[in-house]
Amino acid sequence: HLKFNNIGVEGGKALAEALKENKSLTSLDLGYNNIGDEGGKALAEALKENKSLTSLDLGYNNIGDEGGKALAEALKANKSLTSLNLYRN
């Protein structure tokens, strides 16, 4: 869990790049990290490529409309994710 670490936008982008390559991580809790729209969009791009993640918690991250739209679009391509928490964004 990386909850409550205030990784911000740049941290979200860095994790997104790592998720594109990762083949073993199945669950990631990024709640309360203030990744914003840009971090949300970066994670959305990663979800299009990642095939191992089944659970992603992005609650309380200030992800707005643009990040939400990008994540929704990514779900069309992602076949492994079965749980996505976007509570209070």
Side-chain angles (χ1 to χ4, degrees):
H1 295 282
L2 294 173
K3 191 178 258 185
F4 290 107
N5 276 289
N6 199 31
I7 63 170
V9 174
E10 293 307 313
K13 289 179 178 180
L15 283 169
E17 286 303 310
L19 281 176
K20 288 179 182 179
E21 306 296 323
N22 186 278
K23 295 182 181 13
S24 59
L25 187 70
T26 59
S27 179
L28 182 58
D29 185 346
L30 292 175
Y32 297 87
N33 272 298
N34 199 32
I35 65 169
D37 264 336
E38 293 304 311
K41 288 193 271 187
L43 286 167
E45 287 303 309
L47 287 176
K48 291 178 182 178
E49 297 180 34
N50 182 281
K51 294 177 178 35
S52 65
L53 205 62
T54 60
S55 176
L56 178 59
D57 185 340
L58 295 175
Y60 292 90
N61 267 296
N62 296 317
I63 298 171
D65 292 344
E66 293 303 311
K69 288 176 189 174
L71 287 163
E73 202 55 38
L75 293 177
K76 293 178 182 178
N78 184 289
K79 304 298 182 208
S80 63
L81 199 69
T82 59
S83 175
L84 176 61
N85 178 12
L86 292 171
Y87 184 71
R88 296 288 238 179
N89 278 291

